[in-house]
Amino acid sequence: MIFDIHVLFLGIACSFIVNKVHSASNSNISNSDSLVLACGAPTNATDNNGRSWIPDSKFLASSDNSIVATALSQDPSLPSTVPYMTARVFQSQFTYTFRISPKARHWIRLHFYPPSYNNLSSSNGFFSVTADGFTLLNNFSALITAQALTQAYIIREYNIVPIQTGILNLTFTPSPAYNGSFAFVNGIEIISTPELFQAAPLVGFSEQSVEVEQNTVQTLIRLNVGGQYIPASDDSGLSRTWYDDSPYLFGAAFGVTSQADENVRINYPTGLPEYIAPVNVYDTARSMGPDPKVNQNFNLTWVFQIDPNYTYLVRFHFCDYQMSKVNQRVFAIFINNQTAFPDADVIGWASAKGVPVYKDFTIQVSDRSGDEQLWVALQPNQTSVPEFYDVILNGLEIFKINDTKGSLAGPNPVPSPLATPMESEPKQFAPSKSRKTGLILGAVGGAAVGFALVIGFVAFLRRRKRMALGESSSIAGWLPIYDSSRSSETGTTISGKSCGSSRISNIGGSLCRRFSLAEIKNGSMNFSESQVIGVGGFGKVYRCFVDGGTEVAIKRANPSSEQGVHEFRTEIDLLSKLRHRHLVSLIGACEEHNEMILVYDYMANGTLREHLYKTKKPRLLWRQRLDICIGAARGLHYLHTGAKYTIIHRDVKTTNILLDEKWLAKVSDFGLSKTGPTLHQTHVSTMVKGSFGYLDPEYFRRQQLTEKSDVYSFGVVLFEVLCGRPALDPNLPKEQVSLADWALRCHSRGVLDDIIDPCIKGEMAPECLKHFAETAAKCLSDQGIDRPSMGAVLWNLEYCLQLQNNPDGPEFVVQQKANDAYAMHETLLTIEENDKISQETEDSSSNEIFSQIINPQGR
Ligand SMILES: *[C@@H]1O[C@H](CO)[C@@H](O)[C@H](O)[C@H]1NC(C)=O
Ligand SMILES: *[C@@H]1O[C@H](CO)[C@@H](O)[C@H](O)[C@H]1NC(C)=O
Ligand SMILES: *[C@@H]1O[C@H](CO)[C@@H](O)[C@H](O)[C@H]1NC(C)=O
Ligand SMILES: *[C@@H]1O[C@H](CO)[C@@H](O)[C@H](O)[C@H]1NC(C)=O
Ligand SMILES: *[C@@H]1O[C@H](CO)[C@@H](O)[C@H](O)[C@H]1NC(C)=O
Ligand SMILES: *[C@@H]1O[C@H](CO)[C@@H](O)[C@H](O)[C@H]1NC(C)=O
Ligand SMILES: *[C@@H]1O[C@H](CO)[C@@H](O)[C@H](O)[C@H]1NC(C)=O
Ligand SMILES: *[C@@H]1O[C@H](CO)[C@@H](O)[C@H](O)[C@H]1NC(C)=O
Ligand SMILES: *[C@@H]1O[C@H](CO)[C@@H](O)[C@H](O)[C@H]1NC(C)=O
Ligand SMILES: *[C@@H]1O[C@H](CO)[C@@H](O)[C@H](O)[C@H]1NC(C)=O
Ligand SMILES: *[C@@H]1O[C@H](CO)[C@@H](O)[C@H](O)[C@H]1NC(C)=O
């Protein structure tokens, strides 16, 4: 969506006494002065969460050197157009002056959305922000930060000490180090808070503590551990956002999550005000699981990226709603591998079941290498011989404490090579041209996306969004426009040949071989059309012969478009490090004369889709389909948990599941993959990518990418396999266009039988079908948290296979238990397996594990 540009100069310069805005939240805090400003907005406006934002024009202190601007493009992942689509832009130093209560601490939240504004390219947007002598940001680039975090927008939250003068000057200064640099801001929140901090022990220095209440802090992480995302509107009065913790879990040791029973009330004790954290934080938790033997051998560990050279406050929120006695669950708390507390006993602290308690620790992080990470680990304390070897955590917050110079600023994060480039600067959009509004549709997945398909997709999304927001808002502007103009910046890298080539030679050592262009041309009959076996977003896929007869598949970047350079590098980076029986192996690459070519194992039987429908090939048997689903699930499970970082595929679909000559399923096409969150922010949000029909609705709403988005897409694949029809079929009646919706509806009505592929109906054991459909339906749960992990999906598919082979087999008792058991075993399996290239040896080894679980002795 291209927006008209409004350039308004506002010459209002006055300071202003902040109105007391009565917040609509369920706050117990009396007399809060709060101010929620949409910068550059012409009038009062309400965002999608019902929060009202007022224009900032009354708070401009210095003279009229600011510009009001409207963003030139709207990223589909913005939660709301307010406050992100308008900005105030400063080309020289600029100060906002707020009159605030001199006794209270205040949140300062700054919202940045860095597309281009007017004729200013956001790549020049380097600036600093100070508040009452504290440096909040320095040499900050919202663009680079957003790229590195793969987020469209950035929110920074600070909690500032009381200002005696009662006047808060918030100053934006463009960096003098760059010509044409400017500062901008989209939203500012200034909200008074009660005293939230007190002295906290310094880990590693006995008897020392840091008086946090005298410092200004920046919020780095705020997690509802074992629970789900809590939006600002559901916070207990302080408009904080709480995120899911699972992206930060280290390795595969993810433990189990739980929720308090309905009959356990969360009782805030006197002295612990409800604003410390909402009930929703305390009534969910993550613990290790039921098996003490397993628990003895691992730590529940979270890893966060942080800036070195700062002291951090780590706040643990606990509430044990399962145990009721002292010494039932005793554990050690480690921060950065140092003992913060040796024998934590939540009941001991809180004195009763269901009573919240929080503990603060501070830790100094120096700038030795490796110190850009903060590790939080919990380990059952065996020396105190508790009744259960287990740990628990309900919530976690990490704050950065200002340094001696009053600074909180860190360097800009470095965008990882896996990060998606932001929408390029649309330089051609001069104001006069931009009148023409229109939709730019990307060819997602490269396939020809027919208009009918797009319409179907829009209808599908519109319904989803309505469901999500409880309102019918305009859908214009949040179509996936990103793919349309892969940035011109990447274009320059492709022509920088030397850079590209050196890159290839750097990779993977012996794992990735370099092919010469001559060799490839020769083997593919000079890229003959007769050798084309597929077309993807990246370019065409050819069959090719190398080494005098070895058949390979080559993927050639379309030389006429510069799309896909990024995908090319991503695939090389990822695939050269990953080896798995159920992932397509990258053999090598070729980058010569502006050609970019990836060389893979040849998959004799092509894609899964071409064996399911619209094909002349014989249809797959049910048993074969089940095997293929299990194989693909293994591949995805490995991506999610087997490597050092969680890898999220992001484009799971039947054309990305390939079949080799033995019908072994292999997951392919990592062009859109991302590693899980490893960088500074409190969550991983990203621009929506993927394929129509397979997109996780929650990912679309919240832009928080987790591996559960792949689980959703895989659920669509499972139904596609079961029903033998495409994920989206625009030729069908409206309610049937989206397979995900239609299958779910049929499943809930109990008429799924009607849409099962007639070719396989007769072969399915009814129990197997039932379980398979339930598994697929679970994958399609609207909320990520309700979807099973890929490990649990895999377990369930294995179980389906058992049911198919042995329909009279023993009914497995409690489904959820089984999933947990699987999680525990996975922990043992993969916890050691970090960077190492793991080759799943034989199916037999994993089958052993499954049979162990299926005969749950002693559980
Ligand atoms: C905007 O909101 C403020 C605070 O809620 C209110 O005082 C003001 O009257 C509103 N202005 C308009 C034009 O609605
Ligand atoms: C941007 O445009 C404004 C007027 O529209 C002009 O004053 C300013 O110099 C321009 N800035 C740049 C960097 O071209
Ligand atoms: C805030 O800014 C105003 C105007 O620039 C200035 O007069 C005042 O001294 C500043 N106050 C503080 C506390 O810095
Ligand atoms: C800024 O531009 C001027 C001329 O326009 C040039 O002399 C100067 O070196 C530039 N400075 C930087 C930091 O690029
Ligand atoms: C906060 O308000 C809620 C109702 O809005 C009330 O139930 C609770 O007791 C209050 N808490 C405190 C500490 O005042
Ligand atoms: C950390 O602080 C030390 C001493 O103040 C300084 O020499 C060093 O450059 C700082 N490191 C970083 C990464 O800022
Ligand atoms: C903590 O220990 C682990 C290995 O046990 C190591 O990988 C990690 O870097 C350590 N973290 C810190 C901050 O020292
Ligand atoms: C748990 O963490 C502590 C502190 O980092 C470490 O000493 C211990 O070896 C870890 N235990 C396991 C099983 O990883
Ligand atoms: C377990 O607790 C005891 C005291 O109860 C303590 O001495 C010991 O160091 C703790 N173990 C660990 C691993 O922290
Ligand atoms: C934070 O900044 C204040 C004001 O500059 C300073 O007094 C205080 O010592 C700083 N805190 C730390 C931990 O250095
Ligand atoms: C500002 O940030 C950019 C990008 O992170 C970095 O390259 C540059 O060195 C920084 N400049 C200063 C003066 O710190």
Side-chain angles (χ1 to χ4, degrees):
M1 190 92 217
I2 305 160
F3 283 81
D4 287 356
I5 296 167
H6 311 277
V7 184
L8 301 170
F9 288 89
L10 291 182
I12 305 159
C14 62
S15 70
F16 187 78
I17 297 176
V18 173
N19 280 335
K20 295 213 161 44
V21 179
H22 297 289
S23 95
S25 64
N26 54 339
S27 160
N28 305 37
I29 301 146
S30 57
N31 194 26
S32 61
D33 51 340
S34 76
L35 192 65
V36 181
L37 301 181
C39 300
T43 55
N44 285 1
T46 307
D47 69 17
N48 285 351
N49 288 324
R51 206 155 179 231
S52 41
W53 297 71
I54 61 169
D56 64 334
S57 45
K58 289 173 181 160
F59 303 95
L60 311 176
S62 43
S63 54
D64 56 350
N65 60 351
S66 73
I67 304 171
V68 170
T70 303
L72 293 180
S73 59
Q74 179 176 0
D75 190 277
S77 74
L78 288 180
S80 168
T81 55
V82 180
Y84 298 103
M85 290 306 289
T86 60
R88 190 167 293 276
V89 177
F90 320 107
Q91 286 174 293
S92 55
Q93 192 177 76
F94 185 90
T95 300
Y96 282 98
T97 300
F98 304 108
R99 198 146 297 172
I100 57 174
S101 148
K103 298 224 175 74
R105 295 181 72 96
H106 285 78
W107 291 130
I108 298 181
R109 293 201 188 99
L110 303 174
H111 299 252
F112 301 102
Y113 171 52
S116 37
Y117 291 99
N118 305 355
N119 51 3
L120 300 160
S121 151
S122 33
S123 50
N124 286 335
F126 286 90
F127 55 95
S128 64
V129 180
T130 60
D132 187 45
F134 291 99
T135 305
L136 307 185
L137 294 166
N138 189 26
N139 187 39
F140 171 70
S141 165
L143 182 69
I144 293 174
T145 308
Q147 279 172 358
L149 304 177
T150 66
Q151 286 174 194
Y153 60 100
I154 308 286
I155 302 173
R156 288 277 184 256
E157 182 184 274
Y158 304 88
N159 194 283
I160 189 165
V161 289
I163 300 172
Q164 256 84 44
T165 57
I167 292 177
L168 167 62
N169 281 353
L170 190 66
T171 303
F172 290 79
T173 314
S175 166
Y178 298 88
N179 271 342
S181 76
F182 65 94
F184 75 95
V185 62
N186 302 83
I188 301 176
E189 295 174 56
I190 312 278
I191 296 176
S192 77
T193 69
E195 181 56 80
L196 294 169
F197 302 103
Q198 67 272 314
L202 185 60
V203 174
F205 299 84
S206 55
E207 310 301 314
Q208 279 195 48
S209 61
V210 175
E211 293 179 348
V212 186
E213 71 276 19
Q214 295 177 6
N215 296 289
T216 289
V217 301
Q218 179 191 347
T219 312
L220 290 188
I221 299 285
R222 181 172 289 128
L223 301 178
N224 179 14
V225 177
Q228 46 184 311
Y229 170 80
I230 303 176
S233 51
D234 293 353
D235 189 31
S236 50
L238 293 180
S239 54
R240 294 162 296 196
T241 306
W242 300 75
Y243 295 93
D244 175 13
D245 69 313
S246 47
Y248 300 94
L249 282 165
F250 175 71
F254 36 69
V256 295
T257 61
S258 63
Q259 181 154 23
D261 271 355
E262 306 236 319
N263 52 18
V264 177
R265 254 203 71 200
I266 304 300
N267 279 316
Y268 287 81
T270 43
L272 186 76
E274 195 171 339
Y275 59 69
I276 286 294
V279 172
N280 290 346
V281 168
Y282 289 118
D283 76 358
T284 56
R286 188 178 296 278
S287 52
M288 285 185 158
D291 189 335
K293 283 213 191 67
V294 173
N295 297 353
Q296 277 173 28
N297 292 323
F298 83 88
N299 289 352
L300 201 51
T301 306
W302 294 260
V303 181
F304 306 96
Q305 298 291 313
I306 51 161
D307 296 322
N309 264 4
Y310 279 98
T311 300
Y312 290 86
L313 167 67
V314 184
R315 172 168 293 181
F316 296 82
H317 294 273
F318 297 108
C319 177
D320 201 327
Y321 43 74
Q322 291 163 334
M323 307 295 163
S324 48
K325 293 202 215 79
V326 171
N327 208 40
Q328 284 188 309
R329 168 148 55 186
V330 181
F331 55 94
I333 301 173
F334 301 107
I335 303 176
N336 271 358
N337 300 340
Q338 302 180 63
T339 306
F341 206 91
D343 49 358
D345 184 336
V346 175
I347 296 296
W349 281 332
S351 74
K353 188 175 181 170
V355 175
V357 58
Y358 72 90
K359 288 288 163 191
D360 285 350
F361 301 98
T362 55
I363 181 136
Q364 275 171 354
V365 177
S366 63
D367 69 342
R368 288 174 318 220
S369 76
D371 282 349
E372 60 291 334
Q373 290 186 333
L374 192 109
W375 289 57
V376 171
L378 305 179
Q379 186 191 35
N381 184 323
Q382 299 180 32
T383 33
S384 25
V385 202
E387 194 171 327
F388 302 96
Y389 288 129
D390 205 352
V391 306
I392 185 171
L393 184 62
N394 306 65
L396 187 71
E397 292 176 278
I398 301 179
F399 301 94
K400 186 201 257 180
I401 298 173
N402 73 263
D403 68 10
T404 47
K405 298 188 201 85
S407 173
L408 284 161
N412 292 313
V414 180
S416 97
L418 293 179
T420 314
M422 288 280 290
E423 178 87 332
S424 63
E425 309 293 337
K427 293 193 183 66
Q428 71 275 27
F429 297 161
S432 58
K433 286 189 197 160
S434 67
R435 291 243 143 241
K436 205 175 83 198
T437 51
L439 300 178
I440 308 168
L441 290 173
V444 174
V449 178
F451 192 63
L453 180 61
V454 174
I455 299 291
F457 179 63
V458 170
F460 160 73
L461 285 178
R462 179 183 284 150
R463 201 168 62 250
R464 288 266 187 217
K465 175 153 188 181
R466 230 176 252 162
M467 274 156 50
L469 300 176
E471 61 176 299
S472 65
S473 52
S474 155
I475 55 145
W478 55 286
L479 281 168
I481 54 173
Y482 44 80
D483 258 354
S484 56
S485 56
R486 262 298 152 58
S487 84
S488 49
E489 286 158 24
T490 40
T492 56
T493 22
I494 191 179
S495 45
K497 249 182 298 175
S498 56
C499 151
S501 322
S502 66
R503 177 96 188 206
I504 286 197
S505 47
N506 278 344
I507 57 173
S510 59
L511 281 174
C512 186
R513 165 176 160 194
R514 275 190 85 164
F515 288 87
S516 74
L517 187 57
E519 204 174 353
I520 299 280
K521 272 191 167 165
N522 194 18
S524 63
M525 293 153 58
N526 204 8
F527 303 115
S528 156
E529 285 299 309
S530 67
Q531 299 299 307
V532 172
I533 52 176
V535 181
F538 178 88
K540 286 182 178 166
V541 183
Y542 301 80
R543 183 173 160 173
C544 178
F545 293 90
V546 294
D547 297 346
T550 309
E551 202 167 12
V552 295
I554 60 169
K555 207 167 168 189
R556 180 197 194 194
N558 186 349
S560 63
S561 99
E562 290 176 347
Q563 273 197 9
V565 183
H566 175 70
E567 273 82 352
F568 180 75
R569 305 222 183 287
T570 305
E571 285 220 38
I572 293 186
D573 273 3
L574 274 176
L575 283 181
S576 61
K577 291 190 198 108
L578 297 173
R579 281 290 183 277
H580 191 273
R581 192 173 148 83
H582 294 287
L583 298 181
V584 168
S585 301
L586 180 71
I587 299 173
C590 164
E591 192 173 26
E592 249 178 65
H593 295 98
N594 283 354
E595 289 275 6
M596 295 185 307
I597 294 162
L598 296 172
V599 182
Y600 301 90
D601 270 349
Y602 181 70
M603 293 291 128
N605 279 312
T607 68
L608 171 57
R609 171 180 279 174
E610 66 196 72
H611 299 281
L612 290 177
Y613 45 84
K614 288 182 188 157
T615 176
K616 296 208 178 67
K617 296 184 178 162
R619 303 290 180 99
L620 293 169
L621 301 175
W622 170 240
R623 178 60 218 256
Q624 277 177 306
R625 296 187 192 195
L626 207 46
D627 280 341
I628 289 166
C629 292
I630 290 172
R634 284 225 171 112
L636 288 171
H637 178 55
Y638 172 76
L639 282 182
H640 289 178
T641 60
K644 182 167 182 183
Y645 297 110
T646 300
I647 295 167
I648 302 170
H649 186 291
R650 291 222 287 177
D651 200 14
V652 176
K653 54 181 174 181
T654 42
T655 45
N656 280 338
I657 297 172
L658 303 184
L659 302 168
D660 74 0
E661 70 286 355
K662 293 184 197 131
W663 298 97
L664 201 62
K666 304 205 179 209
V667 177
S668 81
D669 211 339
F670 299 81
L672 298 179
S673 299
K674 282 192 137 6
T675 48
T678 55
L679 286 156
H680 300 234
Q681 258 287 355
T682 45
H683 66 291
V684 167
S685 93
T686 172
M687 283 156 279
V688 174
K689 300 211 172 201
S691 296
F692 296 157
Y694 296 90
L695 270 184
D696 169 9
E698 186 178 52
Y699 172 33
F700 217 96
R701 284 197 299 274
R702 287 183 23 210
Q703 265 50 61
Q704 289 181 35
L705 185 65
T706 69
E707 60 273 27
K708 294 297 180 66
S709 307
D710 284 351
V711 173
Y712 182 90
S713 308
F714 192 69
V716 179
V717 168
L718 292 180
F719 274 124
E720 220 176 319
V721 165
L722 185 66
C723 304
R725 58 151 281 190
L728 276 187
D729 187 344
N731 299 321
L732 291 172
K734 214 170 95 194
E735 72 277 10
Q736 302 185 19
V737 167
S738 155
L739 174 60
D741 283 5
W742 182 234
L744 273 186
R745 197 178 313 169
C746 293
H747 181 248
S748 67
R749 287 196 205 133
V751 294
L752 194 64
D753 272 3
D754 298 352
I755 63 167
I756 290 178
D757 189 346
C759 306
I760 52 168
K761 246 185 188 165
E763 302 167 42
M764 305 176 83
E767 279 307 305
C768 172
L769 166 62
K770 183 162 166 268
H771 197 79
F772 186 89
E774 267 163 22
T775 305
K778 268 234 120 165
C779 292
L780 296 186
S781 300
D782 197 53
Q783 307 254 356
I785 189 151
D786 299 329
R787 295 175 207 147
S789 68
M790 213 56 226
V793 174
L794 174 54
W795 189 94
N796 279 294
L797 292 175
E798 291 275 357
Y799 186 56
C800 286
L801 189 62
Q802 307 267 349
L803 289 172
Q804 177 72 26
N805 294 343
N806 182 14
D808 306 324
E811 182 76 22
F812 197 76
V813 250
V814 189
Q815 191 57 44
Q816 194 54 44
K817 278 264 155 43
N819 294 349
D820 293 347
Y822 185 75
M824 304 306 299
H825 281 269
E826 268 308 290
T827 295
L828 289 179
L829 281 181
T830 46
I831 194 161
E832 301 290 298
E833 176 188 78
N834 269 0
D835 238 353
K836 277 180 254 151
I837 288 129
S838 84
Q839 176 96 43
E840 199 186 353
T841 41
E842 272 304 309
D843 270 354
S844 61
S845 64
S846 40
N847 279 341
E848 240 166 63
I849 293 145
F850 287 115
S851 47
Q852 274 175 23
I853 301 167
I854 288 182
N855 306 312
Q857 288 148 350
R859 272 177 190 278

